[in-house]
Amino acid sequence: MDRGECDRKKNSNVDIVTVLETQIDDLSPQVFGYLFDLLLNVGALDVFTQSVMMKKSRPGILLTVICPVDKINVCEEIVFRETTTLGIRQSLQKRSILDRELKTVNTQYGDVRVKIASQGKGENKTIINVHPEYEDCAAIARKFNQPLTTTQKIVLEAFFNQ
Amino acid sequence: MDRGECDRKKNSNVDIVTVLETQIDDLSPQVFGYLFDLLLNVGALDVFTQSVMMKKSRPGILLTVICPVDKINVCEEIVFRETTTLGIRQSLQKRSILDRELKTVNTQYGDVRVKIASQGKGENKTIINVHPEYEDCAAIARKFNQPLTTTQKIVLEAFFNQ
Amino acid sequence: MDRGECDRKKNSNVDIVTVLETQIDDLSPQVFGYLFDLLLNVGALDVFTQSVMMKKSRPGILLTVICPVDKINVCEEIVFRETTTLGIRQSLQKRSILDRELKTVNTQYGDVRVKIASQGKGENKTIINVHPEYEDCAAIARKFNQPLTTTQKIVLEAFFNQ
Amino acid sequence: MDRGECDRKKNSNVDIVTVLETQIDDLSPQVFGYLFDLLLNVGALDVFTQSVMMKKSRPGILLTVICPVDKINVCEEIVFRETTTLGIRQSLQKRSILDRELKTVNTQYGDVRVKIASQGKGENKTIINVHPEYEDCAAIARKFNQPLTTTQKIVLEAFFNQ
Amino acid sequence: MDRGECDRKKNSNVDIVTVLETQIDDLSPQVFGYLFDLLLNVGALDVFTQSVMMKKSRPGILLTVICPVDKINVCEEIVFRETTTLGIRQSLQKRSILDRELKTVNTQYGDVRVKIASQGKGENKTIINVHPEYEDCAAIARKFNQPLTTTQKIVLEAFFNQ
Amino acid sequence: MDRGECDRKKNSNVDIVTVLETQIDDLSPQVFGYLFDLLLNVGALDVFTQSVMMKKSRPGILLTVICPVDKINVCEEIVFRETTTLGIRQSLQKRSILDRELKTVNTQYGDVRVKIASQGKGENKTIINVHPEYEDCAAIARKFNQPLTTTQKIVLEAFFNQ
């Protein structure tokens, strides 16, 4: 567990994100599904919904949008326009992030992209996580009639064996 | 743990209920809240909703209505009429139930109803559970400016001390 | 509320569906997302997931697949192949369903499909529900830069005014 | 999508709210239901619960209370008094809100209140959302034996046609 | 996808399980956590809880117990004794199951158990799934100060390389 | 309800906590279960997960860790190391807390610990909540073959009668 607090602090990346939240009890779930692409396409970093229990036994939805500070206005516009919400709450959060890079691995299926998450630079660079790109693996899985998890496993092995 | 399987079989009550289920992804939560009283008023035994994740990232709702067999038609009518569902699934279930009786307890607040759940008859009668009626306690709690749980505790003590 | 129980019984449609269920605590959510299309493409009627709390504080997933009786085998194959489940539960359910038909409505946007849910035939035909097709409305909403709900409302008005 | 960022900034309303949160794993759901009215009656803006998975496989509840800054003390008092929580977290959030006004519409049912959400003033006033008041519609729906959604639709049409 | 429906039918295993369900709105989550071990220790196959929204805005819990037919009585006894429920619903379900066997793999950490799920016998035996036993991997992960997922990956590699 | 705002402010305790949050859509629930003890053992005050609906119909998990400010680094290390997350959001929250003390009560079962939550000091000390320690009661319940809730009730009575 002890990787050296000093090292970690030198290596960690930090950015600032905005968290937009609104709880809604009078909107069809279809609209929430519709919102995902709309918000991600204008630059939201992440969008998710949660089930909340509201007054009068209403099974409402809490919508959360994580976005860069310069996307607050365009994201709020979309949410006000598409939903029935009367208010959107906003808070700034510091975020510790890993460095990410996309690498291409040559596999029996052809080229597959792999996302590598790391901390630190140069000598101090530590790989924390390696994950094959979902869309690439899903396409291969469907094409070769093979389980998604098996596909991901094979791609990972190709990455580590190169 | 061993209360004698024989005794328990002699003592247990069984009835049959219908479970109606439908998952909906295009209806406002307000309508689900509205449905509770409608269904309970026509004789449904219980109504509840659950959050389900449906295709296209829709945070849908699974509605469940537990009703006696002779209430299936009237409950289905209400659900088809008030919601956007195109189909309602139905299954019969056996249900082990405890005997229930409502007793009135005299307390410092006046009379309060208490529900007693038991198994068995006469000599073999075992009290499993005693619970003060919610509405009576809520009214007292609000009136006397006292926590709901404290109110319930006092009523229970009055019951056991009588 | 009283539409005549007799009329309703003459008018209601009933079919039989299978409900496949399995709760899984050791699988990535990405695989569940991947499963939706796979199962719907082989003829499943509906697929959804629910959050369940399992032993050892594991936030597991309950997968439900609703399918016609003749699709049980192919759906189970997919679930066994793609997920880590060791067992899939199965039950038959009767289902009350509304008649559905797709109609095309001419609107200011061009042709849009509308789904009409009804009960009964001929003279006894009662329209229960009218809902514009989601994909048609989503495409229009994106193209004309207009809220999804506004688009659906305009299409519905066009339908009722024709 | 482009309504002019300038216009929007001139038109948007902002206020500050407090978000109180506490996660509880040893309290009956009945108490949470009881809390809604208590908190809304003392001026909380919104109250909702969420299901959370806590240690030792406990299906706990996260309670959230949104309130004005000057209601923090009275809301915390209620939560400490009625629940088993040992700590309540607190954060301030900026909130973008729409202007709201209640208008009365004359309909075939009599007068019905409608809530109008808008942005901007005078010439720049844009109506974002119109929603019939729930309690008015629910009362009409029950009285005239008519679906809630149909009732809401008729009221909306009356509003737009006046 | 086509593995031959004939082969699959010859190879699939089927058993019968009971599903016990009860929805409860007046019990502390601590008791549900307590129930897991109690029920699993008397032979329940699986136990899980789900969040349900019940009347009066109560965030209730739906408890599900999957058990063999000969364990119904003892499981119901425990649930009636430990919880406030007044009724437990019951249904029988057919279950398609994979064959499971536990094998021991020799790894750099010592012996680790691995669960192999398969279909078919002899020549027709197909391995569907291999999963290292959780408790073995968790113990190793804590002892060697290594991520759980890395530990599971190493054990799997040892299995496939033997 | 009116206990005097002045009194309350003199009596309330306040501390500062950090809330770490991350939403993950590609990790097995087993790892989340594994994380609870790891994080609680290094000093996290609380850990919980929530079900969230993410893009592409993925039933993801939102992990929340409440920790003291001086535990941020070690908690983040654990989460980065054990999970697939690429970013952890962080916010500081003020927390109103009750005073807690553990007292030992002598009961028919032997000594049992009870947690007392209070506000205020000396003359102004008000007991808000008394709750028997879960582990003590669970051990007794299993040993004496008695419902957990009955055990807790008996311990509470012993406390109030001493």
Side-chain angles (χ1 to χ4, degrees):
Chain A
M1 193 177 300
D2 181 7
R3 277 218 301 268
E5 272 196 57
C6 293
D7 289 334
R8 201 185 161 279
K9 285 185 182 162
K10 270 188 301 187
N11 292 336
S12 70
N13 277 356
V14 165
D15 68 0
I16 301 289
V17 295
T18 306
V19 179
L20 302 176
E21 288 179 292
T22 183
Q23 59 283 357
I24 306 177
D25 69 358
D26 57 2
L27 187 66
S28 158
Q30 274 192 353
V31 181
F32 289 101
Y34 178 71
L35 272 180
F36 274 85
D37 288 335
L38 232 57
L39 289 161
L40 292 168
N41 285 346
V42 296
L45 300 168
D46 210 351
V47 181
F48 56 89
T49 62
Q50 296 176 66
S51 168
V52 295
M53 283 148 270
M54 301 179 72
K55 71 189 184 209
K56 308 194 192 189
S57 291
R58 291 170 186 169
I61 293 289
L62 175 68
L63 171 73
T64 303
V65 184
I66 316 274
C67 68
V69 176
D70 61 350
K71 296 291 183 180
I72 295 176
N73 281 355
V74 68
C75 288
E76 284 195 344
E77 263 198 79
I78 288 175
V79 175
F80 275 132
R81 189 186 72 206
E82 298 289 340
T83 79
T84 52
T85 190
L86 301 177
I88 303 173
R89 296 175 285 114
Q90 192 189 117
S91 55
L92 292 185
Q93 289 188 337
K94 194 167 93 173
R95 199 173 59 148
S96 296
I97 52 178
L98 301 179
D99 295 316
R100 341 163 172 207
E101 52 179 323
L102 268 182
K103 283 216 158 134
T104 303
V105 178
N106 185 263
T107 75
Q108 66 203 84
Y109 309 115
D111 281 350
V112 182
R113 294 168 304 166
V114 167
K115 184 180 289 180
I116 301 157
S118 61
Q119 265 178 335
K121 310 280 176 202
E123 277 187 4
N124 286 327
K125 178 169 173 175
T126 318
I127 289 181
I128 307 293
N129 216 321
V130 181
H131 200 78
E133 276 295 274
Y134 171 80
E135 291 297 343
D136 291 4
C137 292
I140 291 166
R142 282 186 296 260
K143 179 174 171 188
F144 289 88
N145 223 1
Q146 181 173 252
L148 176 66
T149 49
T150 304
T151 309
Q152 292 171 325
K153 189 157 159 291
I154 289 173
V155 172
L156 268 181
E157 279 165 7
F159 172 80
F160 284 112
N161 289 339
Q162 66 178 166
Chain B
M1 193 177 301
D2 182 5
R3 278 218 298 269
E5 272 194 56
C6 294
D7 290 334
R8 202 186 161 280
K9 284 184 186 164
K10 269 187 302 186
N11 293 336
S12 68
N13 278 358
V14 165
D15 70 358
I16 301 288
V17 296
T18 306
V19 179
L20 301 176
E21 289 179 292
T22 184
Q23 59 284 357
I24 306 178
D25 68 358
D26 56 2
L27 187 66
S28 158
Q30 274 193 352
V31 181
F32 289 101
Y34 178 72
L35 272 180
F36 273 85
D37 287 333
L38 233 56
L39 290 162
L40 292 168
N41 286 344
V42 296
L45 300 167
D46 212 349
V47 181
F48 56 88
T49 63
Q50 296 177 68
S51 168
V52 294
M53 283 147 271
M54 302 179 72
K55 73 190 183 207
K56 307 194 192 189
S57 291
R58 292 171 184 167
I61 292 290
L62 175 69
L63 171 72
T64 303
V65 184
I66 316 275
C67 68
V69 176
D70 61 350
K71 297 291 183 180
I72 296 177
N73 282 356
V74 67
C75 288
E76 285 194 343
E77 262 198 81
I78 288 175
V79 176
F80 275 132
R81 189 186 73 206
E82 297 289 338
T83 78
T84 53
T85 190
L86 301 176
I88 303 172
R89 295 175 286 115
Q90 190 189 121
S91 55
L92 291 185
Q93 290 188 336
K94 195 166 92 173
R95 198 172 63 147
S96 295
I97 52 178
L98 301 179
D99 295 316
R100 350 170 162 200
E101 51 180 322
L102 267 182
K103 283 216 158 135
T104 303
V105 178
N106 186 262
T107 74
Q108 64 203 88
Y109 309 115
D111 281 349
V112 182
R113 294 169 302 165
V114 167
K115 183 179 290 179
I116 301 158
S118 61
Q119 265 179 332
K121 309 282 177 201
E123 277 188 4
N124 285 328
K125 179 169 174 175
T126 317
I127 289 181
I128 306 294
N129 215 322
V130 181
H131 200 78
E133 276 294 275
Y134 171 79
E135 291 298 343
D136 291 4
C137 293
I140 291 166
R142 282 187 294 261
K143 178 174 174 190
F144 290 88
N145 224 359
Q146 182 173 253
L148 176 66
T149 49
T150 304
T151 308
Q152 292 171 324
K153 188 159 160 291
I154 289 173
V155 172
L156 268 181
E157 280 166 7
F159 172 79
F160 283 112
N161 289 339
Q162 62 179 168
Chain C
M1 192 178 299
D2 182 5
R3 278 217 299 268
E5 271 196 57
C6 292
D7 290 337
R8 204 189 160 277
K9 285 183 183 164
K10 269 188 303 189
N11 291 337
S12 70
N13 277 358
V14 165
D15 69 358
I16 301 287
V17 294
T18 306
V19 179
L20 301 176
E21 289 178 292
T22 183
Q23 59 284 359
I24 306 177
D25 69 357
D26 57 2
L27 188 66
S28 157
Q30 275 193 351
V31 180
F32 289 101
Y34 179 72
L35 272 180
F36 274 85
D37 287 334
L38 232 58
L39 290 161
L40 293 168
N41 285 345
V42 295
L45 300 168
D46 211 349
V47 181
F48 56 88
T49 62
Q50 297 176 67
S51 168
V52 293
M53 283 147 271
M54 301 180 72
K55 72 189 183 206
K56 306 193 193 190
S57 291
R58 291 170 185 169
I61 293 291
L62 175 69
L63 171 72
T64 303
V65 184
I66 316 276
C67 67
V69 176
D70 61 349
K71 296 293 183 179
I72 296 176
N73 282 355
V74 68
C75 288
E76 286 194 343
E77 263 198 80
I78 288 175
V79 175
F80 274 133
R81 189 186 74 205
E82 297 290 338
T83 79
T84 52
T85 190
L86 302 176
I88 302 173
R89 296 176 285 114
Q90 191 189 119
S91 54
L92 291 185
Q93 290 188 335
K94 193 166 96 175
R95 199 173 61 148
S96 296
I97 52 179
L98 301 180
D99 295 318
R100 355 176 156 195
E101 51 179 323
L102 267 183
K103 284 218 157 132
T104 303
V105 177
N106 186 261
T107 74
Q108 65 203 88
Y109 309 115
D111 280 349
V112 182
R113 293 171 303 166
V114 167
K115 184 179 290 180
I116 301 157
S118 60
Q119 265 178 332
K121 311 279 177 202
E123 275 186 6
N124 286 327
K125 179 168 172 174
T126 317
I127 289 180
I128 307 293
N129 217 321
V130 181
H131 201 76
E133 276 294 274
Y134 171 80
E135 291 297 345
D136 291 5
C137 293
I140 291 165
R142 282 187 294 260
K143 178 173 172 189
F144 290 87
N145 223 2
Q146 180 174 256
L148 176 66
T149 50
T150 304
T151 309
Q152 292 171 325
K153 187 159 161 286
I154 289 173
V155 172
L156 268 181
E157 280 166 6
F159 173 79
F160 285 112
N161 289 340
Q162 60 180 167
Chain D
M1 193 178 300
D2 182 6
R3 279 216 298 269
E5 272 196 56
C6 294
D7 290 335
R8 203 185 161 278
K9 284 182 183 163
K10 269 187 302 188
N11 291 336
S12 70
N13 278 357
V14 166
D15 70 358
I16 301 288
V17 295
T18 306
V19 179
L20 301 176
E21 288 179 292
T22 183
Q23 60 282 359
I24 307 178
D25 69 358
D26 57 2
L27 187 66
S28 159
Q30 275 193 350
V31 181
F32 289 101
Y34 178 72
L35 272 180
F36 274 86
D37 286 335
L38 233 57
L39 289 161
L40 292 169
N41 286 344
V42 296
L45 300 168
D46 211 349
V47 181
F48 56 88
T49 63
Q50 295 176 67
S51 169
V52 294
M53 282 148 272
M54 301 179 73
K55 72 190 184 206
K56 308 194 192 189
S57 290
R58 292 170 183 168
I61 293 289
L62 175 70
L63 171 73
T64 303
V65 184
I66 316 276
C67 68
V69 176
D70 62 349
K71 297 292 184 179
I72 296 176
N73 281 356
V74 69
C75 288
E76 285 194 343
E77 264 198 79
I78 288 174
V79 175
F80 274 132
R81 187 186 75 205
E82 297 290 338
T83 78
T84 52
T85 190
L86 301 176
I88 303 173
R89 296 175 285 115
Q90 192 188 118
S91 54
L92 292 185
Q93 290 189 336
K94 193 166 95 173
R95 200 174 61 149
S96 296
I97 53 179
L98 301 179
D99 295 317
R100 348 169 166 201
E101 51 179 321
L102 267 183
K103 283 217 157 133
T104 303
V105 177
N106 185 260
T107 75
Q108 64 202 88
Y109 308 116
D111 282 348
V112 181
R113 293 169 303 166
V114 167
K115 184 179 289 180
I116 301 158
S118 60
Q119 264 178 335
K121 310 280 177 201
E123 279 186 3
N124 286 327
K125 179 168 173 176
T126 318
I127 289 180
I128 306 294
N129 216 322
V130 181
H131 200 77
E133 276 294 273
Y134 172 80
E135 291 298 344
D136 291 5
C137 293
I140 290 165
R142 282 187 293 261
K143 177 175 174 188
F144 289 87
N145 225 0
Q146 182 173 253
L148 175 66
T149 49
T150 304
T151 309
Q152 292 171 325
K153 187 158 159 288
I154 289 173
V155 172
L156 268 182
E157 280 166 8
F159 172 79
F160 283 113
N161 290 339
Q162 61 181 169
Chain E
M1 194 177 299
D2 180 9
R3 278 219 299 270
E5 272 196 56
C6 294
D7 290 337
R8 203 185 161 279
K9 285 183 183 162
K10 270 188 304 187
N11 292 335
S12 69
N13 277 355
V14 165
D15 69 359
I16 301 287
V17 295
T18 306
V19 179
L20 302 176
E21 288 179 293
T22 183
Q23 59 284 357
I24 306 177
D25 68 358
D26 57 2
L27 187 66
S28 157
Q30 274 193 352
V31 181
F32 289 101
Y34 178 72
L35 272 181
F36 274 85
D37 287 334
L38 233 56
L39 290 162
L40 292 168
N41 286 345
V42 296
L45 300 169
D46 211 349
V47 181
F48 56 88
T49 63
Q50 296 176 66
S51 168
V52 294
M53 283 146 271
M54 301 178 73
K55 71 189 184 210
K56 308 194 193 190
S57 290
R58 293 171 183 166
I61 292 290
L62 175 70
L63 171 72
T64 303
V65 184
I66 316 277
C67 68
V69 177
D70 62 348
K71 298 291 185 180
I72 296 176
N73 282 356
V74 69
C75 288
E76 285 194 343
E77 264 197 81
I78 288 174
V79 175
F80 275 132
R81 190 186 72 206
E82 298 290 338
T83 78
T84 52
T85 190
L86 302 177
I88 302 172
R89 296 176 284 113
Q90 194 190 117
S91 55
L92 291 186
Q93 290 188 336
K94 195 166 93 174
R95 198 172 63 147
S96 295
I97 52 179
L98 301 179
D99 295 315
R100 337 157 178 215
E101 53 180 322
L102 268 183
K103 282 216 158 134
T104 303
V105 178
N106 186 263
T107 75
Q108 64 203 85
Y109 309 115
D111 281 348
V112 182
R113 293 170 302 165
V114 167
K115 184 180 289 178
I116 301 158
S118 61
Q119 265 178 335
K121 309 281 178 201
E123 277 187 6
N124 285 327
K125 179 169 172 173
T126 318
I127 288 180
I128 307 293
N129 217 321
V130 181
H131 200 77
E133 275 295 273
Y134 172 80
E135 290 297 344
D136 292 4
C137 292
I140 291 166
R142 281 186 297 259
K143 179 173 172 189
F144 290 87
N145 225 359
Q146 181 173 256
L148 175 66
T149 49
T150 304
T151 309
Q152 292 170 326
K153 189 159 158 288
I154 288 173
V155 172
L156 269 182
E157 279 166 7
F159 172 79
F160 284 112
N161 289 339
Q162 64 180 166
Chain F
M1 193 178 300
D2 180 6
R3 277 218 298 268
E5 272 196 57
C6 293
D7 290 335
R8 202 188 161 278
K9 284 183 182 163
K10 268 187 305 187
N11 292 335
S12 68
N13 277 355
V14 165
D15 69 0
I16 300 289
V17 294
T18 305
V19 179
L20 301 176
E21 289 178 292
T22 183
Q23 59 283 358
I24 306 177
D25 69 359
D26 57 3
L27 187 66
S28 158
Q30 274 193 353
V31 180
F32 288 102
Y34 179 72
L35 272 180
F36 274 85
D37 288 333
L38 233 56
L39 289 162
L40 292 168
N41 285 345
V42 296
L45 300 168
D46 211 349
V47 181
F48 56 88
T49 63
Q50 296 176 68
S51 168
V52 295
M53 282 147 272
M54 301 179 72
K55 72 189 183 208
K56 308 194 193 191
S57 290
R58 293 170 184 167
I61 292 289
L62 176 69
L63 171 72
T64 303
V65 184
I66 316 276
C67 68
V69 176
D70 63 348
K71 297 292 183 180
I72 295 176
N73 282 356
V74 68
C75 287
E76 284 195 344
E77 263 197 80
I78 288 174
V79 175
F80 274 132
R81 189 186 74 205
E82 299 288 339
T83 79
T84 52
T85 190
L86 301 177
I88 303 173
R89 296 175 286 113
Q90 192 189 117
S91 54
L92 291 185
Q93 291 188 337
K94 193 167 95 175
R95 198 172 62 148
S96 295
I97 53 178
L98 300 179
D99 295 317
R100 341 159 175 212
E101 52 179 323
L102 268 183
K103 283 219 157 130
T104 303
V105 178
N106 185 263
T107 75
Q108 64 202 88
Y109 309 115
D111 281 349
V112 182
R113 292 169 304 166
V114 167
K115 184 179 288 180
I116 301 158
S118 60
Q119 264 178 334
K121 310 279 177 202
E123 278 186 4
N124 287 326
K125 178 168 173 175
T126 317
I127 289 181
I128 307 294
N129 217 320
V130 180
H131 201 78
E133 275 294 274
Y134 171 80
E135 290 299 344
D136 291 7
C137 292
I140 290 166
R142 281 186 296 260
K143 178 174 174 189
F144 290 88
N145 223 1
Q146 181 173 255
L148 176 66
T149 49
T150 304
T151 309
Q152 291 171 326
K153 189 158 158 289
I154 289 174
V155 172
L156 268 182
E157 280 166 7
F159 172 80
F160 284 111
N161 289 340
Q162 64 178 168

